[in-house]
Amino acid sequence: AYDVDGKRLTDFPASRTQQAKAKPIYKNFKGFKGDLRKLKSYSQFPAEARRFVAALEESIGAKCALVSMGKSRDETLILDKKFSWLK
């Protein structure tokens, strides 16, 4: 989201004038420690990581199908069974 002249916009403005005034609105999240790459189930995630994913889902208006913690397939958790063929 962006703030332009006190108004909250959910999309980046198309107008160059508004773009120059646009200030991003940030959300802060509590951090977490540990290497998530070795986790094999979403329930093993730290509560703070699960809260971050839930906030992302709320923000985009859709459920996350995958959570990737690294570049290899074994560092990806499949949250939606429709994507189980990726394993």
Side-chain angles (χ1 to χ4, degrees), residues 6 13-16 22-24 29-30 39 44 48 51 56 58 60 63 66-68 72-73 78 81 86:
S15 157
R16 290 276 188 191
K23 294 181 181 151
F29 295 91
K30 190 172 181 180
L39 302 180
Q44 294 175 316
E48 293 83 4
R51 277 193 279 277
L56 178 61
E58 182 181 331
I60 64 173
K63 289 290 197 184
L66 309 168
V67 176
S68 183
S72 69
R73 284 187 184 222
I78 298 171
K81 291 181 185 307
L86 289 172

Side-chain angles (χ1 to χ4, degrees), residues 7-64:
K7 287 186 175 179
R8 181 184 171 94
L9 304 177
T10 55
D11 295 316
F12 192 66
S15 157
R16 290 276 188 191
T17 305
Q18 285 188 328
Q19 288 174 2
K21 298 177 183 178
K23 294 181 181 151
I25 299 172
Y26 295 101
K27 286 186 178 180
N28 292 312
F29 295 91
K30 190 172 181 180
F32 50 89
K33 292 184 180 186
D35 186 0
L36 302 181
R37 292 176 293 175
K38 298 192 187 326
L39 302 180
K40 298 299 177 197
S41 101
Y42 187 66
S43 63
Q44 294 175 316
F45 268 43
E48 293 83 4
R50 290 193 310 270
R51 277 193 279 277
F52 176 77
V53 172
L56 178 61
E57 290 175 333
E58 182 181 331
S59 176
I60 64 173
K63 289 290 197 184
C64 291

